């Protein structure tokens, strides 16, 4: 812990776990054994010793709350221990001052750290003073030897002191302290010897250390008291398991006689008396004493198994939500300084809402683009990038003050329409534009991918236009999640009427975005090439790939069921598909061509895809020097849902030129089969 | 407690186990609603107190599980998911608490019923052992099945065909095993003493 905020995060995380355990202990108070009641606190001890944050999201969205609080408070300060843009993390559960304090929050943390030292000294001095007053009996004590021998327990050194009740102290060289001049019941000695036998003194030392670390959290101090009480209740259980009949009732009476005694808790000591209210609870526990059947261990263990992730890492569903687009309305009437505060808070939320998966990061990035939402972009941008984003967002909002929107022009907004309100619904279809994740490939630092956006806009004459924009991105791990960086873009390019018509049926082929290409043998002057692309399908149910019987077409795409990103999105599958492109070098520029083809894809005996055009199909007007390209000659799946790749294709192609005298066949590839080894060409 | 009453309560318990274990949906309507099962179980564990004095300790647990199942069923009827409607951390915490209560409830229920079986079964019959084995299997598998519900990150496990097959075996196998145990125990309950035949004149 190196700042006030990391201490807050740590102590709140521990408190949340303690609260959960208290709820469960209340439910199972009279149902599960004292061993479980005490043992389950081990989860709290582990939580105290593990730094909050890196292991998971936490039981509550505490990281988000603390980050928001830090952002609000630190915005006007220049602290040495906390940086406005660096998310709050806990590197160690121990406090550490890294520099001289400069701000109020720095001084508060310094006071906290000094408090930890003071409490440690307080406990240490108290313990040493106690040990100094004790005089160990060199000859030992016959009664203690007899009890230890009878029950097979370790024999400690014994001291007599003017105390009301027996206790043990000193984990390294334990001393059993007995009241001076008074008779001590065997059962009291047995109780204290059992503390020694089971190492409760060491656990008591640990408890005191944790009290020091959380000295300014009264809730945790109360919880640590409860832990001590549970230790005593477990010791009672162990005593009762060694006693019979009337002895058990005597033990209850002894406890009752201690109801008015109370000892301050010191490290390395245990005391049977722990206050009237706790004694009452222990007597009630004795009244329902039973030897819990061995089978109870199973259910006790199973409950702990379920609790472990919750207490130590936190459920994944605790991911914080990013500010929604609808927040625009709320911001519309803010003053400038309020707007800056809102922006800082929004970015703070984004810093602690990192995507946990590659799919989540790409979904977040894509939705940042389609919504022009700076917060979404911030969630996949590193700390340095967020500083620049803050300046950009403020600058942009100076220009569009009346809309009060933290919007970014990320490429989709029409450049030729500057007077348009960017907060308007821009998508003429009324739905968010879909996007595709293309050609996701693993690299040394993470992943490369292309994100393709399709969107339709209506011009001033109400004519629809379909656009395609692609962003090349790198996805890499960093700052507690996955980050996305744009490395390039193509477009936006308006699609031709033919392309638009084709896209209206679904994704067919994105020219120029190949994962790999496979040149096929030239025939009759025609040069066929198989272009390969991979689309990563989200787990979102709106996505589907129609199987061969229904056309083998990707008919829906994009994780676009909701406008907010799914930070934990997963890719359910990926689909490799191919496009057979035929180049015709002898074609005349400007002439109109039609083509007919048959295209079948096989994996073993299974036909993955098949298409056949009996009539002539108009070609896309893709012309290069002295050649025309026929990219629609076949687009289909080259991979089954189970990941089996195609091993051969069958195709034919006929090119027809349209002349004033009618149609004239130019060239032809007869139906034939080509074997494929896609594993060699796919990266 | 009369034999007839005991048999009736054991039958109620069997119905409760069936309802809370198995869902049968017609559209958005669950015609085997969980809340009804929990309330039947709550009633049964309370009424079985004369035979099994520890069993009423389970009453508040069954009532709590039943109370949680009511809004779930109502929202399901409206096509909504209660757990999706709650904030993520709240639904996770609630799912966790309900999961551990459920696991403990069935463990203790079958522990106590196994004790009853041990009292009622004739020599040589080992119904109590069968009930304890069933209890242990249910507890272990309930724990495994609960983990992905509480921690969605583990839900990817559910995509695996082996996991789906195991789930089917789990639901059906344990249901039939539990029902067989309960109905066998019910059959062990002695009938009412037949009234003495009048002396022949």
């Amino acid at each position: 812990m190196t700042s006030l905020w990391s201490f807050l995060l740590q102590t709140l995380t521990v408190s949340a776990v303690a609260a959960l355990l208290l709820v469960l202990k209340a439910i199972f108070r009279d149902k599960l054994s004292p061993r479980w009641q005490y043992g389950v606190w081990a989860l709290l001890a582990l939580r105290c010793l593990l730094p909050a944050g890196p292991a998971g999201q936490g039981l509550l969205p505490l990281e988000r709350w603390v980050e928001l609080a830090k952002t609000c408070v630190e915005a006007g300060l220049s602290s040495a221990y906390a940086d406005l843009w660096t998310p709050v993390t806990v590197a160690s559960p121990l406090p550490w001052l890294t520099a001289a304090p400069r701000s109020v929050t720095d001084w508060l943390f310094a006071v906290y750290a000094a408090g930890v030292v003071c409490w440690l000294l307080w406990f240490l001095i108290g313990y040493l003073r106690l040990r100094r007053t004790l005089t160990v009996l060199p000859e030992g004590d016959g009664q203690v030897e007899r009890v230890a021998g009878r029950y097979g327990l370790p024999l400690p050194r014994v001291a007599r002191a003017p105390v009301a009740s027996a206790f043990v102290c000193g984990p390294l060289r334990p001393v059993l302290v007995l009241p001076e001049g008074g008779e001590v019941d065997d059962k009291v000695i047995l109780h204290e010897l059992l503390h020694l036998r089971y190492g409760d003194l060491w656990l008591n030392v640990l408890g005191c250390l944790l009290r020091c670390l959380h000295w300014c959290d009264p809730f945790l101090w109360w919880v640590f008291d409860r832990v001590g009480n549970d230790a005593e209740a477990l010791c009672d259980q162990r005593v009762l398991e060694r006693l019979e009949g009337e002895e058990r009732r005597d033990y209850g009476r002894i406890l009752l006689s201690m109801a008015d005694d109370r000892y301050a808790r010191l490290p390395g000591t245990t005391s049977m008396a722990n206050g009237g209210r706790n004694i009452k609870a222990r007597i009630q526990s004795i009244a329902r004493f039973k030897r819990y059947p061995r089978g109870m261990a199973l259910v006790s263990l199973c409950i702990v198994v379920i609790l472990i992730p919750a207490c130590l890492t936190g459920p994944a569903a605790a991911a914080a939500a990013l500010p929604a687009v609808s927040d625009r309305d709320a911001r519309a009437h803010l003053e400038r300084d309020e707007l800056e505060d809102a922006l800082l808070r929004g970015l703070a939320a984004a810093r602690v809402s990192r995507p946990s998966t590659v799919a989540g990061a790409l979904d977040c990035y894509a939705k940042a683009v389609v919504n022009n939402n700076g917060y979404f972009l911030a969630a996949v941008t590193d700390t340095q990038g967020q500083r620049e984003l803050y300046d950009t967002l403020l600058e942009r909002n100076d220009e569009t003050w009346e809309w009060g929107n933290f919007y970014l022009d990320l490429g989709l907004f029409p450049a030729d329409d500057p007077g348009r309100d960017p907060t308007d619904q821009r998508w003429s279809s009324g739905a968010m534009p879909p996007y595709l994740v293309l050609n996701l490939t693993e690299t040394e630092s993470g992943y490369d991918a292309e994100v393709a956006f399709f969107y339709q806009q209506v011009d001033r004459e109400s004519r629809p236009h379909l656009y395609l924009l692609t962003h090349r991105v790198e996805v890499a791990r960093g700052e507690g999640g996955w980050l996305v960086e744009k490395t390039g873009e193509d477009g936006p390019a308006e699609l031709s009427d033919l392309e638009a018509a084709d896209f209206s049926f679904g994704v067919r082929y994105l020219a120029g975005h190949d994962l790999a290409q496979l040149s096929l043998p030239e025939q009759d002057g025609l040069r066929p090439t198989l272009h390969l692309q991979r689309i990563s399908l989200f787990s979102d149910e709106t996505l589907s790939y129609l199987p061969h019987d229904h056309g083998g077409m990707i008919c829906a795409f994009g994780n676009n069921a909701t406008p907010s990103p799914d930070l934990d999105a997963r890719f359910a599958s990926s689909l490799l598909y191919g496009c057979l492109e035929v180049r015709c070098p002898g074609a005349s520029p400007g002439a109109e061509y039609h083509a007919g083809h048959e295209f079948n894809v096989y994996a073993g005996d299974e036909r993955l895809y098949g298409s056949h055009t009996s009539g002539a199909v108009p070609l896309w007007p893709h012309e290069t020097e002295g050649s025309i390209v026929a990219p629609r000659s076949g687009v289909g799946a080259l991979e089954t849902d189970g990941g089996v790749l195609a091993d051969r294709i069958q195709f034919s192609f006929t090119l027809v030129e349209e002349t004033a005298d009618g149609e004239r066949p130019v060239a032809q590839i007869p139906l034939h089969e080509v074997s494929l080894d896609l594993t060699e060409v796919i990266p | 407690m009369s034999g007839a009453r005991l048999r009736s309560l054991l039958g109620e318990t069997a119905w409760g186990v069936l309802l809370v274990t198995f869902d049968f949906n017609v559209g958005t309507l669950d015609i085997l609603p969980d809340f009804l099962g929990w309330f039947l179980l709550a009633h049964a564990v309370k009424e079985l107190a004369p035979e099994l004095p520890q069993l009423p300790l389970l009453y508040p647990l069954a009532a709590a599980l039943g109370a949680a199942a009511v809004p779930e069923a109502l929202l399901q009827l409206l096509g909504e998911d209660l757990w999706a409607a709650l904030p993520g951390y709240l639904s996770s915490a609630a799912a966790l608490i309900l999961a551990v209560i459920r696991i403990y409830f069935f463990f203790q229920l079958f522990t106590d019923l196994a004790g009853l079986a041990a009292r009622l079964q004739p020599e040589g019959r080992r119904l109590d052992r069968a009930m304890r084995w069933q209890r242990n299997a249910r507890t272990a598998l309930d724990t495994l099945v609960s983990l992905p519900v509480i921690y969605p990150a583990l839900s990817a496990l559910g995509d695996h065909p082996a996991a789906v097959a195991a789930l089917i075996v789990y639901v059906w196998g344990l249901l039939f095993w539990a029902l067989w145990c309960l109905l066998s125990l019910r059959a062990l309950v002695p009938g009412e003493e037949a009234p003495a035949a009048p002396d022949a004149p």
Side-chain angles (χ1 to χ4, degrees), chain B residues 20 31 50 58-59 85 101-102 123 129 133 140 151 170 179 181 190:
Chain B
V20 301
I31 59 171
L58 298 179
Y59 175 76
I101 291 178
R102 182 189 166 105
E123 201 165 334
R129 266 184 79 171
W133 273 106
Y151 312 106
Y170 159 69
L179 292 179
C181 286

Side-chain angles (χ1 to χ4, degrees), chain B residues 4-160:
Chain B
R5 179 70 179 145
L6 183 53
R7 277 197 300 275
S8 163
L9 289 171
L10 289 173
E12 212 169 274
T13 305
W15 272 110
V17 170
L18 174 70
L19 289 170
V20 301
T21 309
F22 192 60
D23 289 333
F24 190 82
N25 294 312
V26 177
T28 58
L29 176 68
D30 182 3
I31 59 171
L32 298 176
D34 286 8
F35 69 85
L36 188 59
W38 287 118
F39 291 143
L40 280 174
L41 286 168
H43 179 255
V45 298
K46 195 174 180 187
E47 296 296 315
L48 280 167
E51 290 293 332
L52 299 164
Q54 295 287 320
L55 210 50
L57 284 175
L58 298 179
Y59 175 76
L61 303 187
L65 289 163
V70 170
E72 194 179 358
L74 288 177
L75 282 175
Q76 183 188 324
L77 203 57
L78 300 171
E80 300 286 332
D81 181 0
L82 171 66
W83 305 110
L86 293 172
Y89 56 88
L90 200 57
S91 71
S92 293
L96 186 148
I97 291 172
L98 292 175
V100 294
I101 291 178
R102 182 189 166 105
I103 287 170
Y104 176 80
F105 177 86
F106 279 118
F107 182 89
Q108 195 58 50
L109 175 71
F110 284 105
T111 299
D112 289 351
L113 291 177
L116 181 62
R119 288 203 328 251
L120 296 178
Q121 68 195 0
E123 201 165 334
R125 181 94 189 260
R126 307 300 295 269
L127 181 60
D128 60 329
R129 266 184 79 171
M131 291 186 95
R132 288 194 187 95
W133 273 106
Q134 185 272 144
R135 172 202 72 180
N136 292 348
R138 171 182 284 272
T139 303
L141 289 171
D142 261 346
T143 304
L144 288 177
V145 171
S146 298
L147 285 173
V149 176
I150 302 164
Y151 312 106
L154 296 174
S155 60
L157 297 173
D159 296 339
H160 199 277

Side-chain angles (χ1 to χ4, degrees), chain A residues 158 195 257 374 417 435 460 559 571 632 642 677:
Chain A
V158 181
H195 274 310
S257 69
D417 201 1
Y435 69 90
R460 294 183 192 283
N559 193 21
F571 287 124
R632 295 173 72 214
D677 188 356

Side-chain angles (χ1 to χ4, degrees), chain A residues 275-489:
Chain A
R277 187 179 295 176
N278 298 317
I279 293 280
K280 183 183 168 191
R282 288 164 63 186
I283 289 174
Q284 286 172 341
S285 179
I286 288 171
R288 60 172 182 266
F289 166 75
K290 58 181 178 184
R291 291 178 194 277
Y292 287 86
R294 291 180 66 189
M296 291 301 287
L298 176 69
V299 73
S300 303
L301 181 69
C302 286
I303 291 173
V304 172
V305 165
I306 288 182
L307 287 177
I308 284 173
C311 293
L312 302 188
T313 69
L322 286 165
V325 185
S326 57
D327 285 359
R328 289 167 178 165
D329 293 339
R331 289 196 297 268
H333 308 292
L334 296 180
E335 297 298 326
R336 166 81 191 199
D337 56 343
E338 292 173 322
L339 198 63
E340 284 182 15
D341 286 347
L343 178 55
L344 280 173
R345 285 197 300 275
L347 292 178
R351 278 197 291 281
V352 291
S353 306
R354 300 292 194 196
S356 64
T357 59
V358 176
L362 287 166
D363 189 44
C364 196
Y365 178 82
K367 284 174 178 168
V369 174
V370 297
N371 289 308
N372 277 347
N373 188 307
Y375 293 145
F376 295 175
L377 188 64
V380 290
T381 304
D382 63 13
T383 303
Q384 180 58 36
Q386 280 206 357
R387 291 172 198 258
E388 295 162 11
L389 198 57
Y390 174 71
D391 295 334
T392 310
L393 285 165
L394 274 186
E395 190 183 329
R396 296 293 306 189
N397 282 280
D398 273 350
E399 295 170 11
T400 58
W401 180 256
E402 63 270 34
W403 299 308
N405 172 41
F406 297 135
Y407 90 99
L408 285 171
D409 185 353
L410 294 173
L412 289 193
F413 195 69
D416 59 349
D417 201 1
R420 192 166 172 177
D421 177 356
T423 63
D424 275 355
Q425 174 57 267
R426 279 155 285 145
W427 318 117
S428 58
S429 63
M432 205 171 57
Y435 69 90
L436 273 177
V437 174
L438 274 179
N439 302 334
L440 184 71
T441 47
E442 197 166 355
T443 63
E444 283 183 6
S445 58
Y447 292 87
D448 283 345
E450 289 181 78
V451 188
F453 304 92
F454 304 86
Y455 58 104
Q456 181 176 299
Q457 290 186 339
V458 181
D459 62 18
R460 294 183 192 283
E461 282 77 43
S462 300
R463 285 185 311 227
H465 299 271
L466 188 66
Y467 295 90
L468 170 64
L469 170 72
T470 53
H471 284 187
R472 288 184 294 281
V473 295
E474 286 178 0
V475 190
R477 261 192 198 285
E479 299 187 8
W482 287 91
L483 304 175
V484 180
E485 186 179 358
K486 187 171 89 172
T487 56
E489 69 178 24

